[in-house]
Amino acid sequence: MEKYGYVRVSSKEQNPARQIQAMEEAGIKSGNMFVDKISGKTFQRPAYYELLGKLKEGDVLIIKSIDRLGRNYQEILEQWRKIVKEIKANINEN
C-alpha cells in the first residue's frame, strides 16, 4: 500500500503551500505528491492523470477536501467511482 497526495489550486497565481504542508503532515513523500495549478472546471490536468496512472489497488489517495478534485459534481462522482471501484484505491480527506 502506497499513500499519495493530490493538491490543486485554481490558478498559477495561487499558492498551494498550505495543501502541500497538510500532505507532508499526513506522511506523503514528495515523490508521491501531485500538484495541479488549474481550474476545477476541467479534469484535463496533467498531474492528476499522472497520479491516476500510479494508483494501484489498496493505495490511499489523500486530498485536502473534496472540492480539490473539482467543481463539477457529476465529474467528481465519476472520478471517485473510477478511483474506488475500478482502481480499488481508497480516498481520504485530510
Side-chain angles (χ1 to χ4, degrees):
M1 179 209 67
E2 199 68 42
K3 284 172 59 173
Y4 294 93
Y6 181 67
V7 170
R8 184 187 63 78
V9 291
S10 297
S11 70
K12 293 182 192 281
E13 293 78 32
Q14 290 182 321
N15 189 340
R18 286 186 301 165
Q19 291 182 61
I20 291 171
Q21 181 180 355
M23 295 299 144
E24 290 169 345
E25 290 170 0
I28 306 297
K29 298 181 267 184
S30 63
N32 286 358
M33 200 177 312
F34 296 84
V35 179
D36 276 315
K37 292 184 176 186
I38 193 164
S39 170
K41 291 189 276 185
T42 178
F43 269 88
Q44 301 303 314
R45 305 181 202 148
Y48 181 74
Y49 281 107
E50 184 179 352
L51 165 66
L52 287 182
K54 292 190 179 275
L55 276 175
K56 304 220 178 340
E57 184 173 347
D59 287 345
V60 177
L61 171 60
I62 307 289
I63 55 175
K64 183 69 177 153
S65 63
I66 194 164
D67 70 330
R68 296 302 82 205
L69 281 181
R71 293 192 312 198
N72 179 314
Y73 181 71
Q74 291 302 319
E75 188 62 30
I76 290 171
L77 287 177
E78 175 58 24
Q79 295 301 314
W80 195 284
R81 184 198 64 74
K82 183 183 295 185
I83 292 167
V84 173
K85 299 291 186 189
E86 290 180 20
I87 298 172
K88 297 184 178 159
N90 297 302
I91 302 174
N92 292 339
E93 284 185 273
N94 181 16

